[in-house]
Amino acid sequence: MAGLRLGPLLRHVDWESGTSATVWVETDRACTAEVRCPGGAGGSAPTFRVNGHHYALVVVTGLTPGSATTYEVLLDGDRVWPLADSVQPPSTIHTPPIPATGAVVAFGSCRWAAPAVGHDDPVGPDVLDTLSARLAADPEAERPDVLVLLGDQVYADETSAETRAWIARHRASAGTGASAPPDQVADYEEYTRLYDESWGDPELRWLLSTVPSCMVFDDHDVIDDWNTSAAWVAEMRETSWWHERITGGLMSYWVYQHLGNLSPAELAEDELYAAVLAADDGTAVLRAFAERADADPAAVRWSYRRDFGRTRLLMVDTRAARVLEEQHRSMLDEEEAAWLRTQAFDDLDGVDHLLVGTSLPWLLPPMVHFAEAWHAALCRGERGPRLARFGEWLRRRADLEHWAAFTASFTRLTETLAEVGRADSAPATVSVLSGDVHHAYVAEPVWTSGPPVHSRIYQFTCSPLHNSVPAAMRVAFRFGWSRFAKGIGHLLARHGRVARPEIRWERDGGPWFGNQLMTLTLRGRTARLRLEQASDGAKREHRGTDRSGARLTGVLDRPLTDES
């Protein structure tokens, strides 16, 4: 009898017709996976094989718009979900009414796997576990229409003690990974362990089975500083273990995260997916793809678009799509940048809210922004070769690789957002959703020149979902928003001969620290932002608390537009 190893994950829900969805599963052997709903809706798919693991992405059809439909998962006809001993409510697929009147979008990044039940949590309660507990306690309450995960779903370079012990046993028995760092994953098989650990968390597992998700990678999904510079890439390629690491990382990302980002129509046109399905064993096909994606990032587009009624989400790859030649550094290659602009303007009359998901913040604290722009100028050689070498050393140690460090890309993104906001059919809001920096804040830019911008344009940064930030960094982030710090930033920019951007910005909220989640509620042309944190101290088993006694606590709840 086949068993369910991981999942189900509810991924894509159709907002055009409200009648279909996709559900991802990992099984312990080859079989046929089926999703069955009351009333005849459902779907089935044979598993495909990669590196000895078996997966299926089931397209569910026959759903009713504007409904909440429970579902079961069967493998070769035997029910495996809900689990026999589950105390959670049934998993459901919520479809939007047609036409949709709005969308609720929750987002955040950086989730280090929660420890096993009964173990102390060194970074505090997991905000997704607490969200899961709240939804399970009141299944009729408002829930996100989509959960946007903006990077670092797994930490390949910061593993738990349990995973390090598993890696040691695995390498000893398999005779692999001898030269790889002992505290980091080395290959595809070890990546599967990270997903087992993270997505096997009972509360998160149920949450992902009932709330659709959009995902994109950031550096820790592969390694800290991934693609930070051409020199870094050359150095990593000289090691004996990097090739297997990056190949396994891209293969596993495609299987576990990227496939579910695609709609059924996109899946039907995807040549790689068709080739993997057609193969008895898709490992070689997928491996060749991953090696090509690493060698030529422009050959693959990881970015994608999702429309939720009149809300558009553009998820942008800011890691693999980089151009790293020092004199022409760019966050996105030319095709990727053109794709972003095209998607932002496509059928703009039909968009009330434009969301740009990028793991790295567009707007940082002003001092940090100018420091990164100054540093990028040093690396380009604006102040000579000695300071250029110092700049490369500093780049890796201080993670100076956000949009501000790619000066031309920052300008191009800023111009694109302004043009969207100035259009005759401009959306009510244009929001950049980001994570990465392990705290949360709101920033709103003001254009210092040019025609008026009609849209409200925001930077919303929310991180971590489950991690921490050192106390010294908290002080630094707070200081970075001060007027004095901005003055220091301007001096650095002058030293690096960096032109000031056409916008100025201040924080409009924050910084906030803790395990947290932001939620945008978008109704018509109105928008509202909520920030919640996972707080412990409640009684265990209390309604709406997770297994550690944590619950969600409101920090911010405010309108972003005129609600009249």
Side-chain angles (χ1 to χ4, degrees), residues 367 370-371 374 487-498:
M367 187 193 79
F370 288 116
W374 161 79
I488 295 174
H490 287 161
L491 290 175
L492 290 173
R494 186 178 305 167
H495 178 263
R497 304 188 181 106
V498 175

Side-chain angles (χ1 to χ4, degrees), residues 352-377:
D352 287 330
H353 304 278
L354 175 64
L355 312 179
V356 179
T358 161
S359 62
L360 303 176
W362 164 52
L363 300 180
L364 292 161
M367 187 193 79
V368 180
H369 173 91
F370 288 116
E372 292 205 13
W374 161 79
H375 165 266

Side-chain angles (χ1 to χ4, degrees), residues 107-345:
F107 60 96
S109 79
C110 307
R111 183 180 181 272
W112 193 64
V117 177
H119 290 69
D120 290 335
D121 195 333
V123 299
D126 185 325
V127 75
L128 294 186
D129 280 356
T130 57
L131 174 63
S132 175
R134 183 170 72 185
L135 295 181
D138 187 3
E140 301 304 315
E142 181 182 80
R143 63 178 57 208
D145 291 310
V146 63
L147 181 62
V148 177
L149 300 175
L150 293 161
D152 295 345
Q153 273 69 262
V154 293
Y155 278 71
D157 56 344
E158 294 180 16
T159 55
S160 66
E162 294 80 7
T163 291
R164 291 194 295 274
W166 181 92
I167 286 173
R169 294 192 301 270
H170 167 69
R171 292 180 187 175
S173 62
T176 60
S179 62
D183 58 343
Q184 301 182 28
V185 301
D187 56 21
Y188 185 92
E189 183 62 31
E190 293 181 9
Y191 266 101
T192 67
R193 162 68 189 188
L194 296 183
Y195 286 102
D196 285 348
E197 180 179 50
S198 181
W199 292 356
D201 167 356
E203 285 159 318
L204 180 70
R205 189 176 187 181
W206 179 80
L207 178 70
L208 293 180
S209 77
T210 198
V211 176
S213 53
C214 293
M215 305 180 183
V216 73
F217 46 44
D218 198 18
D219 55 346
H220 291 286
D221 288 87
V222 176
I223 192 171
D224 189 27
D225 293 335
W226 179 29
N227 281 347
T228 193
S229 68
W232 180 91
V233 172
E235 185 177 306
M236 295 303 291
R237 287 177 176 171
E238 287 296 314
T239 67
S240 60
W241 53 271
W242 173 248
H243 177 77
E244 199 60 35
R245 169 71 159 276
I246 186 63
T247 302
L250 293 176
M251 290 173 65
S252 62
Y253 175 75
W254 185 86
V255 171
Y256 286 85
Q257 297 190 48
H258 181 68
L259 265 186
N261 294 329
L262 305 180
S263 69
E266 290 168 323
L267 289 169
E269 296 176 356
D270 192 293
E271 294 180 359
L272 175 61
Y273 184 50
V276 170
L277 290 179
D280 290 336
D281 185 334
T283 307
V285 174
L286 187 55
R287 184 179 184 86
F289 163 81
E291 291 174 336
R292 184 171 67 255
D294 178 50
D296 181 13
V300 177
R301 176 173 299 129
W302 298 106
S303 300
Y304 60 96
R305 164 179 160 178
R306 293 284 306 276
D307 288 343
F308 304 96
R310 294 180 62 86
T311 295
R312 177 170 301 162
L313 170 66
L314 303 178
M315 288 287 271
V316 183
D317 159 27
T318 54
R319 280 290 164 188
R322 294 177 175 185
V323 176
L324 298 176
E325 199 279 308
E326 202 63 60
Q327 299 305 315
H328 304 283
R329 278 172 64 86
S330 179
M331 187 69 86
L332 311 176
D333 63 46
E334 278 301 315
E335 287 192 14
E336 195 86 5
W339 175 88
L340 174 59
R341 181 180 175 81
T342 298
Q343 298 303 319
F345 281 96

